[in-house]
Amino acid sequence: MNGEVVVSMMKDSNRIRIEPCCIKHCPNVVLEVVLSTIVNHDHVDSPIMSTPNPGFESTVLHQLGGLYNQGHTTQEFVKQVLMDAQEIKDRLILIQSKTEAILTQNYELLEYTIPRLFIVLPEKSTSWDPKTMLRTKFRLHFICECGEHTEASGSKIRHHLHLANHEGYVVNKPTEFFEKYGPFLTLMLEMIKVGTSIAGCVVPALASLKVVDVLNSAKSNINSVTSKVIKGVDYSLKYLEESRTLIQKPDGVDLDGNAKMSQQDLATYFAGVEGLEGVDLRQLGSYLSTNSSDNLLGNLYRMTTKDGHVKWVCRHHYRAGYQEAHTQKLRDVVKLAGGVFDEQLGSIKVTLKSSFAAVEFYGAISKAKAGVYDLDITFGWDCTRTDLEAFEKALKMSSVSILRLDLHRFQASIASDIFSTSTRYEILVRIMEHTNMKMIHIVLSNDFVKLSSLQPKRSSHLHKLSIEMTPRGIGASNFRVLVKSLKTNTALTTLSLGGNSIGKEGALALSEVLKTNTSLTTLNLGYNLIGNEGALALSEVLKTNTALTTLDLQDNSIGKEGALALSEALKTNTTLTTLSLWNNSIGNEGALALSEALKTNTTLTTLYLWSNAIGEEGAMALTNVSKASTCNIVT
């Protein structure tokens, strides 16, 4: 009985009491048991009390005890199931949030030199065995980052993330590799296994894909998966789980190999994982076995989205995002010009040798949507402002964001500048102000010595702007303009004035400017007859300048006085790495002074001293110091 309610024995469909006697399961209810024998008369529901039956009483008590134990066990089981379900849910929420942070992280072109999404799978399909885990060989497989950004109208292939069609790269330092990339790999493997849909990127769960024996076509590669991949993902996850257990194992404590990390431990393990930084990606190759010719791209191609973000996709999704006819035209034009078009990196290196070839190239690159992001172009003919203006217009219609432009053969036309509304300087400034530009390096001729006119008004989008000058026969007037520009220009990084006969006066003028200049890193003053006075002036520069790394002073009539001054400067300078004094006259004394300086200087890595009338004593001193220093002395 339960208070005033009588709990009757259970009956079958004919209202006959079930034997042996039993009652309904009543969880969380205390029952008062009244035992009696029941005699059936005309009505089935007419129980008549009789004397207790000891055998029957013990049977019922036994049955009720079993029901109670079974109910308690069921409650504990359900409670554990609910706890496990909540733990799984919390784990999935954590993984989902971290995965979302990775997939929505945007990279600039300069930071993103190789694909960023990858997993590892065992080389051979094998069953999990903790005893042999350390002998397992793994391969790294990159992931195609296709999605809404690759899905053109009418596309017949699915655009979800999938493994690249590549054999993968052998991981040759597994312990160090998993320690560095373990949290990131765990997230990627869980994402591939469970699936997700974030920010236009869809990852189908492995269980939803068709299982095939071999992936040998575009269709199967995207919509199918092999059983080896499914087993490999599980194996890699178990390996990482075991590795985490071993890493976190306290000294002297023998942990259960099947022990799992708590939710808090897992959150700590994933803390800070929001994608790999540029340095992490660049270090990836040091953990992999690759051929010297392998570019570590995994058959993926670099592309940018409409928002300017970089993605690496397979060839099939890459081709789906552009017009093949225009791209083929670009291939043909580059090939005809003797250039190189690397479609995987989205880069072109070409030297145009005529105005006609330039027009062909401009038309092709402005129409192609093949994702040309890196352009290294040399104007190999006496080009004019008109040619430069046409190039600027084509560049504006392209997707180029990294530009190396060589204009060393540019010829200013007085007539074209008179009848034009824009000067050659303004055209270059417009190129610098293109919002898609991230890095620009320009090689200029004598006609661009007025560097103060090359200051873009809008340049916040630029990560780096550098200028290189190689003027020939610059003349005194243009040289003065150039020196004046160096006082304010912060983009000029390389200045090559070799063979311009600037003399000691020119060296003195440059030295005054370079004492405060912080952008020029390479200076070539070879064949300029600067003499000892010029060398003395430049020595003073080296004592304070912290930007210059390369200085070429070959064939400048520098004697021992100049060498002594340069040696003193080298004792305190900490930035210069290369110094060329070829074909001067430093002699024994100059060689001995330089040897003494190299005993304390730890920055200089290359010193050219060929043809300097160095005697036996000086040569011996240089030989001895080269054995103890990191500087390579070429005599």
Side-chain angles (χ1 to χ4, degrees):
M1 297 184 66
N2 177 20
E4 300 297 327
V5 180
V6 176
V7 180
S8 303
M9 297 298 178
M10 293 184 66
K11 301 174 183 178
D12 61 18
S13 58
N14 296 319
R15 301 189 60 77
I16 302 300
R17 192 171 57 210
I18 298 173
E19 296 294 344
C21 298
C22 57
I23 63 175
K24 290 183 179 180
H25 180 214
C26 303
N28 301 320
V29 174
V30 178
L31 298 177
E32 180 183 352
V33 181
V34 178
L35 299 177
S36 66
T37 57
I38 300 175
V39 179
N40 261 341
H41 290 282
D42 295 334
H43 300 285
V44 178
D45 289 328
S46 302
I48 299 177
M49 302 297 293
S50 65
T51 56
N53 187 329
F56 174 74
E57 180 179 345
S58 62
T59 299
V60 172
L61 287 174
H62 176 74
Q63 293 292 333
L64 288 174
L67 286 172
Y68 175 80
N69 292 334
Q70 182 181 357
H72 179 73
T73 303
T74 301
Q75 289 183 56
E76 292 298 317
F77 174 76
V78 171
K79 183 179 179 181
Q80 186 62 47
V81 168
L82 292 175
M83 290 175 62
D84 291 344
Q86 186 61 44
E87 183 180 339
I88 292 172
K89 181 180 178 181
D90 293 341
R91 176 187 175 90
L92 288 176
I93 291 173
L94 175 62
I95 290 173
Q96 181 84 358
S97 64
K98 290 295 180 179
T99 303
E100 182 175 4
I102 292 173
L103 294 182
T104 56
Q105 185 176 21
N106 296 317
Y107 285 84
E108 297 291 346
L109 195 63
L110 302 178
E111 305 171 312
Y112 207 2
T113 54
I114 65 171
R116 60 164 180 156
L117 301 184
F118 55 86
I119 63 171
V120 291
L121 299 173
E123 268 197 311
K124 297 180 180 180
S125 182
T126 181
S127 300
W128 170 251
D129 185 356
K131 296 179 181 178
T132 61
M133 60 175 283
L134 297 179
R135 296 196 296 270
T136 304
K137 292 184 179 180
F138 289 91
R139 282 184 178 269
L140 180 143
H141 298 268
F142 286 117
I143 298 172
C144 170
E145 296 180 76
C146 54
E148 293 177 350
H149 46 276
T150 60
E151 191 168 359
S153 59
S155 178
K156 296 181 180 180
I157 60 175
R158 295 178 66 183
H159 292 257
H160 59 62
L161 271 66
H162 63 91
L163 296 185
N165 189 11
H166 187 266
E167 63 181 4
Y169 302 95
V170 176
V171 179
N172 57 18
K173 300 177 183 178
T175 303
E176 296 89 340
F177 177 80
F178 284 113
E179 185 174 349
K180 181 176 181 61
Y181 299 103
F184 177 83
L185 283 169
T186 301
L187 290 173
M188 290 295 98
L189 287 163
E190 292 279 8
M191 179 187 73
I192 289 292
K193 181 178 180 179
V194 180
T196 188
S197 179
I198 299 170
C201 297
V202 177
V203 187
L206 286 181
S208 68
L209 295 175
K210 178 183 177 182
V211 180
V212 296
D213 293 330
V214 180
L215 297 179
N216 55 11
S217 69
K219 186 175 180 181
S220 64
N221 183 41
I222 296 169
N223 300 322
S224 308
V225 68
T226 64
S227 57
K228 180 180 178 181
V229 170
I230 295 176
K231 293 179 181 178
V233 168
D234 287 333
Y235 187 99
S236 297
L237 283 170
K238 289 178 180 177
Y239 184 98
L240 286 163
E241 180 74 32
E242 189 73 15
S243 299
R244 292 197 299 269
T245 302
L246 293 175
I247 292 173
Q248 296 189 350
K249 177 180 177 180
D251 293 336
V253 178
D254 186 15
L255 293 179
D256 179 8
N258 296 320
K260 292 184 178 180
M261 298 176 71
S262 67
Q263 186 68 14
Q264 183 59 46
D265 290 338
L266 198 64
T268 303
Y269 182 66
F270 287 143
V273 181
E274 295 181 356
L276 300 179
E277 300 295 334
V279 64
D280 296 319
L281 290 172
R282 289 191 291 272
Q283 292 175 353
L284 192 61
S286 63
Y287 296 94
L288 308 175
S289 296
T290 58
N291 299 322
S292 57
S293 59
D294 202 329
N295 55 13
L296 198 63
L297 302 179
N299 286 342
L300 296 180
Y301 293 73
R302 184 167 58 181
M303 67 169 293
T304 57
T305 65
K306 293 179 180 179
D307 299 325
H309 304 311
V310 184
K311 303 288 183 183
W312 286 88
V313 299
C314 68
R315 182 172 180 81
H316 308 292
H317 287 120
Y318 174 74
R319 291 170 66 92
Y322 65 83
Q323 296 172 301
E324 177 62 20
H326 291 313
T327 302
Q328 186 57 51
K329 175 66 175 178
L330 180 59
R331 293 190 195 107
D332 294 340
V333 170
V334 173
K335 184 177 180 180
L336 188 63
V340 177
F341 181 10
D342 188 331
E343 293 187 60
Q344 281 190 281
L345 292 174
S347 66
I348 290 179
K349 185 174 184 180
V350 65
T351 298
L352 303 176
K353 299 179 180 179
S354 69
S355 181
F356 175 77
V359 170
E360 286 284 297
F361 180 76
Y362 300 160
I365 197 170
S366 61
K367 292 179 181 178
K369 301 298 181 184
V372 179
Y373 315 112
D374 190 335
L375 176 61
D376 187 336
I377 184 170
T378 299
F379 285 25
W381 80 103
D382 295 337
C383 57
T384 63
R385 182 202 55 76
T386 303
D387 297 309
L388 188 58
E389 197 162 45
F391 174 67
E392 186 266 331
K393 291 179 180 178
L395 202 61
K396 192 173 184 179
M397 297 176 65
S398 73
S399 54
V400 173
S401 58
I402 298 177
L403 174 66
R404 298 172 186 86
L405 175 61
D406 190 335
L407 295 174
H408 76 279
R409 293 192 59 177
F410 182 89
Q411 295 290 323
S413 170
I414 297 177
S416 64
D417 276 346
I418 290 175
F419 295 105
S420 172
T421 56
S422 61
T423 68
R424 55 189 180 275
Y425 291 100
E426 290 172 344
I427 298 171
L428 286 180
V429 169
R430 287 205 300 268
I431 291 176
M432 295 173 186
E433 290 179 344
H434 285 180
T435 55
N436 58 321
M437 285 295 172
K438 303 300 181 184
M439 185 177 79
I440 300 177
H441 180 78
I442 307 178
V443 180
L444 298 175
S445 67
N446 297 12
D447 295 287
F448 291 93
V449 294
K450 195 176 178 181
L451 296 176
S452 57
S453 298
L454 290 176
Q455 298 292 343
K457 296 178 182 179
R458 302 184 303 273
S459 61
S460 58
H461 55 279
L462 277 174
H463 288 253
K464 184 177 182 182
L465 171 63
S466 57
I467 298 173
E468 178 180 347
M469 292 201 70
T470 56
R472 293 290 181 270
I474 188 172
S477 176
N478 278 343
F479 180 75
R480 285 193 295 272
V481 173
L482 175 61
V483 170
K484 186 178 180 180
S485 297
L486 286 173
K487 293 180 179 180
T488 56
N489 184 275
T490 58
L492 188 68
T493 59
T494 301
L495 178 60
S496 181
L497 290 169
N500 275 284
S501 302
I502 66 171
K504 65 181 182 181
E505 292 81 5
L508 290 171
L510 273 175
S511 298
E512 285 302 312
V513 175
L514 292 177
K515 287 179 181 179
T516 55
N517 182 281
T518 58
S519 61
L520 196 69
T521 59
T522 301
L523 177 61
N524 178 7
L525 294 177
Y527 306 95
N528 269 293
L529 302 174
I530 67 171
N532 283 325
E533 289 187 60
L536 286 168
L538 290 169
S539 298
E540 292 302 312
V541 171
L542 293 178
K543 291 178 181 179
T544 58
N545 184 284
T546 58
L548 207 61
T549 59
T550 301
L551 179 60
D552 188 345
L553 299 176
Q554 63 177 305
D555 204 343
N556 265 300
S557 301
I558 299 173
K560 69 175 184 180
E561 292 83 0
L564 290 172
L566 289 169
S567 299
E568 285 301 311
L570 288 176
K571 290 180 180 179
T572 56
N573 182 277
T574 59
T575 56
L576 197 69
T577 59
T578 301
L579 175 62
S580 177
L581 291 171
W582 275 9
N583 201 26
N584 283 287
S585 304
I586 69 170
N588 261 331
E589 290 186 59
L592 289 170
L594 286 169
S595 299
E596 284 300 313
L598 290 176
K599 290 180 180 178
T600 56
N601 183 292
T602 59
T603 310
L604 199 69
T605 57
T606 307
L607 176 61
Y608 296 100
L609 294 176
W610 174 78
S611 187
N612 262 289
I614 298 174
E616 185 176 345
E617 184 181 2
M620 183 63 70
L622 290 170
T623 301
N624 290 335
V625 77
S626 66
K627 294 178 180 178
S629 73
T630 58
C631 183
N632 178 31
I633 303 174
V634 183
T635 57

